[in-house]
């Protein structure tokens, strides 16, 4: 357990619930030397169908909780929070809270890479209704690769199916096929698809099954891990502040039993969480 708040500066990883664990898993694999605190706002998940105002307020509250725990750097390992809350937190809230702290998201690192993945210049995004309606992927991709055409598909049933352990059922297959076909119907030449929700790596194989063999599927965990590695190398002032004892703590705003059971599946190894009141 951490000793002193003065020297304990874990990297915070936030998600609405479980999805960010797929990102944390890859980050810890790539950068095992740092301390990490994961916070899942399971009590108020899913975020995917919530308004801008709610996603922003909930995300900000959780980011502040992570700052209170000693975090100097927080990763929003949730596309919906990255799409709807990140910019306001970076531009409006951080300067008021502490101008030295940083909050990063998962959309930008993904869009920085997408241009290298496509020959046809047509790319697809699968995400929550919130992420898709925000248009964030379209805006970010346009900045790096204006020549690309971006097609999106909201998949509102996938997070509940995954969270309710129904991902291997016929019901899930029905919705996965429906969403993937609907994306391909918009543009049959799509050759790169982003899993634009941190829950989707759990059904990556099923999604791949309904895509033509030439289509590359981008899972965010490894992308975010590499991007964080680069970020820390380029920002020694932040890197020096992050504590390095290889500690990992998990918090949920809901009950810990349920979090530990389902979270283990997302993280790939057993986890033991503590409750955090919001
Ligand atoms: N993990 C979130 C994301 O990446 C989605 C889950 C939710 O709807 O809360 O968008």
């Amino acid at each position: 357990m951490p000793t002193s708040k003065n020297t304990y500066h874990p990297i915070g990883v936030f998600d609405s619930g479980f999805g960010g664990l797929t990102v944390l898993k890859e980050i810890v694999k790539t950068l095992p030397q740092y301390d990490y605190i994961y916070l899942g706002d399971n009590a108020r998940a899913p975020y995917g169908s919530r308004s801008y105002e709610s996603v922003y307020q909930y995300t900000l509250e959780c980011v502040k909780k992570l700052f209170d725990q000693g975090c100097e750097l927080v990763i929003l390992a949730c596309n919906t929070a990255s799409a709807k809350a990140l910019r306001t937190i970076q531009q409006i809230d951080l300067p008021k809270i502490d101008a030295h702290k940083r909050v990063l998201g998962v959309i930008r690192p993904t869009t920085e890479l997408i241009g290298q993945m496509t020959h046809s210049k047509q790319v697809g995004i699968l995400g929550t209704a919130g992420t898709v309606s925000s248009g964030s992927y379209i805006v970010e991709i346009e900045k790096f690769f204006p020549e690309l055409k971006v097609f999106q598909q909201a998949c509102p049933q996938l997070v509940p199916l995954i969270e309710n352990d129904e991902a291997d059922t016929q019901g899930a297959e029905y919705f996965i096929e429906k969403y993937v076909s609907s994306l391909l119907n918009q543009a049959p030449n799509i050759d790169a698809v982003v899993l634009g929700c941190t829950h989707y790596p759990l059904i990556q194989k099923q999604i791949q099954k309904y895509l033509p063999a030439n289509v590359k599927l981008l899972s965010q965990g490894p992308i975010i891990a590499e991007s964080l590695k680069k970020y820390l190398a380029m920002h020694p002032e932040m890197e020096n502040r992050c504590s390095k004892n290889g500690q990992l703590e998990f918090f949920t705003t809901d009950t810990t039993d349920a979090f530990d059971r389902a979270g283990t599946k997302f993280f790939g190894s057993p986890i033991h969480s503590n409750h955090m009141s919001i």
Side-chain angles (χ1 to χ4, degrees):
M1 282 298 287
T3 43
S4 155
K5 287 268 179 262
N6 293 333
T7 54
Y8 181 57
H9 299 297
I11 296 173
V13 177
F14 167 74
D15 182 55
S16 58
F18 299 110
L21 291 166
T22 64
V23 175
L24 178 65
K25 179 170 92 178
E26 298 298 330
I27 292 178
V28 172
K29 226 189 274 175
T30 305
L31 300 163
Q33 65 273 39
Y34 297 100
D35 299 326
Y36 297 95
I37 291 191
Y38 183 87
L39 174 59
D41 191 10
N42 298 76
R44 300 183 293 196
Y47 280 14
S49 49
R50 293 200 187 273
S51 65
Y52 266 91
E53 192 50 31
S54 298
V55 172
Y56 162 62
Q57 287 300 344
Y58 293 174
T59 304
L60 179 60
E61 279 173 30
C62 290
V63 166
K64 285 181 176 169
K65 287 277 175 183
L66 287 166
F67 287 163
D68 290 346
Q69 297 291 315
C71 298
E72 297 285 322
L73 171 65
V74 172
I75 314 290
L76 302 185
C78 173
N79 286 272
T80 312
S82 299
K84 292 187 158 187
L86 178 64
R87 184 150 304 202
T88 313
I89 290 176
Q90 285 175 332
Q91 294 178 355
I92 310 288
D93 298 297
L94 271 186
K96 287 189 246 165
I97 299 169
D98 182 339
H100 299 294
K101 293 189 188 282
R102 290 288 174 269
V103 179
L104 307 174
V106 289
I107 294 181
R108 194 182 169 119
T110 311
T111 57
E112 278 174 4
L113 276 187
I114 187 87
Q116 301 157 21
M117 304 292 164
T118 174
H119 294 296
S120 68
K121 310 267 181 249
Q122 297 188 350
V123 300
I125 310 294
L126 298 172
T128 65
T131 297
V132 165
S133 69
S134 75
S136 295
Y137 272 96
I138 296 175
V139 170
E140 289 298 323
I141 291 173
E142 165 81 24
K143 287 182 195 159
F144 297 108
F145 305 104
E147 71 281 14
L148 297 194
K149 288 216 161 20
V150 185
F151 301 88
Q152 305 192 97
Q153 178 61 43
C155 312
Q157 299 297 337
L158 297 187
V159 167
L161 283 163
I162 295 167
E163 294 216 341
N164 289 303
D165 219 2
E166 301 278 352
D168 293 327
T169 62
Q170 279 186 343
E173 290 293 328
Y174 168 82
F175 282 108
I176 293 168
E177 180 174 19
K178 177 180 153 159
Y179 295 140
V180 172
S181 314
S182 176
L183 179 68
L184 294 175
N185 282 343
Q186 295 180 54
N189 290 331
I190 286 173
D191 64 355
V193 172
V194 176
L195 294 175
C197 170
T198 52
H199 279 64
Y200 299 171
L202 266 74
I203 52 168
Q204 181 162 351
K205 283 203 181 106
Q206 284 147 285
I207 293 175
Q208 189 85 63
K209 211 167 68 187
Y210 295 105
L211 288 165
N214 68 315
V215 177
K216 288 188 205 77
L217 202 48
L218 273 79
S219 176
Q220 291 177 307
I223 297 172
I224 305 310
E226 276 311 309
S227 151
L228 178 59
K229 191 176 168 182
K230 274 193 209 134
Y231 176 86
L232 291 170
M234 283 168 56
H235 295 86
E237 75 294 348
M238 175 58 77
E239 202 282 332
N240 288 334
R241 273 161 36 222
C242 295
S243 55
K244 303 170 190 71
N245 309 294
Q247 291 182 156
L248 202 47
E249 287 190 286
F250 298 91
F251 289 90
T252 173
T253 57
D254 208 347
T255 54
T256 55
D257 285 1
F259 184 84
D260 293 353
R261 224 175 310 116
T264 295
K265 209 172 47 182
F266 285 77
F267 192 58
S269 50
I271 56 180
H272 300 286
S273 61
N274 295 301
H275 178 76
M276 191 179 278
S277 307
I278 285 287

